[in-house]
Amino acid sequence: MELNPEPRLSRRVVLLAAGGLLAGCSRRPEADRVRLRLATGPAGAVYRRIGGSLAEHISEQVPGATVTTVPSRASTDNIRMLRAGEVQLGLTSLDALITADGSAPEGLSAVCRLYDSHLHLVVMAGSAIAEFGHLRGRRVSLGARDSGTEFTALRVLRLGRVRADARYLSQAESAAALRDGGIDAMFSLTGVPTPAITELAQRHPVRLIPLEEQAGELFTAFPGPYTPAMIPATAYAGVPATRTVAVPNVLLARNDLPDDLVYAITDTIFTHTGTITSASRDGAGAVPDAVPEAWQINVRTGIATASIPLHPGAAAWFRARKH
């Protein structure tokens, strides 16, 4: 059954806002909008682009709601801001989210699964690095501190018993440092294609190092969030298809967000997937290219958040889809 693009539940969000029932909303009569903050990611990252698109479409489609984006260092930084109440929504990779006992961090739940990130290991075409083990002793960017890239890259290095000269740079900084010879390789856990690597590959020949063996090690050591994957030959100019590992990304919400509001947000994401893929603002005012990762958003996989529970509002929306 198709749901109305503006369901009855979503219209009640305006009343929640006017009554001050959402934390941080004024109780003044003129305060008739729910204002939310969505933690995204650093410059050059898909999180920044898809987060901007989500914020734009939620603001347009959920009556009474305005969503602004908050740049961040990505996954673990976003989790920290959510738990601290600095933001109400945030993007994260599933492996950085699942705790040692398989549960979600306290106070947080999933709105939905969005798309899968692929772990990239990038070197310049003329590099002597030909395989993962050649990273030993090399200058390698593990992504920004508190990012999903850092989290997964450290796991891979530890499992492979490889000690690299670790550097902590954002995706855009990593690409620039690799181009200029400041580092020997860069990890990037991101959607395919990702802007920073796309721009680098368009101007300078690069290679991707296969991570097939590392994908198997992650899958065995940490069952749940990892699957073997392929970065296609069409992703980056002059770069052949390369085997690696994929990690799902989810949109998180604080548990104290009203169920009706999260229901409306979930409905917007899955009802307007086609428009989310189109060009939109990235949260900093720029209008980048289309968001191809959003084509992965669909109801069948959206509910697959592993051991992370759905927010009650999101769960209600998925239940409604079954009838």
Side-chain angles (χ1 to χ4, degrees):
M1 178 185 74
E2 290 294 325
L3 297 183
N4 190 306
E6 293 188 3
R8 177 179 60 83
L9 285 171
S10 69
R11 289 199 293 270
R12 291 173 56 198
V13 173
V14 178
L15 301 178
L16 291 170
L21 298 180
L22 181 62
C25 290
S26 170
R27 292 181 180 273
R28 296 176 299 171
E30 64 270 22
D32 61 351
R33 296 191 66 82
V34 177
R35 301 189 183 278
L36 303 173
R37 289 160 59 85
L38 190 161
T40 59
V46 171
Y47 273 11
R48 180 78 70 91
R49 184 171 59 183
I50 200 167
S53 188
L54 289 170
E56 180 180 352
H57 285 84
I58 292 168
S59 297
E60 289 176 352
Q61 300 297 329
V62 177
T66 299
V67 184
T68 57
T69 58
V70 179
S72 71
R73 294 186 294 272
S75 292
T76 54
D77 193 28
N78 293 349
I79 294 169
R80 177 195 63 76
M81 286 194 287
L82 280 159
R83 297 191 69 186
E86 298 172 14
V87 298
Q88 293 77 39
L89 300 166
L91 301 167
T92 183
S93 59
L94 195 59
D95 61 339
L97 177 63
I98 297 175
T99 60
D101 64 0
S103 63
E106 185 177 356
L108 306 181
S109 52
V111 177
C112 61
R113 175 174 172 171
L114 293 169
Y115 68 97
D116 290 357
S117 283
H118 291 61
L119 187 61
H120 299 61
L121 177 54
V122 190
V123 299
M124 300 306 293
S127 172
I129 298 172
E131 59 186 48
F132 177 77
H134 292 169
L135 295 180
R136 189 169 285 104
R138 300 281 189 167
R139 301 165 300 170
V140 182
S141 174
L142 308 186
R145 293 279 189 183
D146 294 328
S147 67
T149 297
E150 178 199 22
F151 185 91
T152 307
L154 284 173
R155 275 190 168 178
V156 168
L157 290 170
R158 288 166 183 160
L159 285 172
R161 295 184 173 84
V162 171
R163 296 178 65 88
D165 179 2
R167 309 295 171 91
Y168 296 91
L169 306 170
S170 71
Q171 292 197 49
E173 292 169 341
S174 295
L178 186 62
R179 176 198 65 206
D180 297 338
I183 59 174
D184 301 303
M186 64 174 280
F187 279 105
S188 180
L189 180 67
T190 184
V192 178
T194 192
I197 299 173
T198 295
E199 293 171 9
L200 178 63
Q202 286 173 344
R203 292 170 172 79
H204 306 276
V206 300
R207 289 188 287 110
L208 291 176
I209 302 300
L211 296 172
E212 182 175 12
E213 181 179 342
Q214 289 66 42
E217 291 174 349
L218 284 168
F219 182 83
T220 300
F222 304 100
Y226 299 110
T227 56
M230 178 82 76
I231 298 174
T234 54
Y236 305 107
V239 180
T242 308
R243 294 190 181 279
T244 185
V245 63
V247 185
N249 294 287
V250 297
L251 176 63
L252 290 180
R254 287 181 54 85
N255 288 348
D256 56 11
L257 283 186
D259 294 357
D260 291 341
L261 175 58
V262 177
Y263 184 106
I265 289 171
T266 310
D267 184 67
T268 294
I269 291 171
F270 290 101
T271 302
H272 298 277
T273 301
T275 54
I276 289 172
T277 64
S278 63
S280 60
R281 297 189 182 276
D282 66 359
V287 182
D289 295 333
V291 188
E293 298 80 15
W295 284 116
Q296 296 184 41
I297 300 173
N298 64 80
V299 175
R300 181 179 58 82
T301 59
I303 199 171
T305 57
S307 59
I308 306 304
L310 290 171
H311 187 284
W317 186 88
F318 282 106
R319 283 198 300 270
R321 291 290 299 188
K322 295 180 180 179
H323 300 292

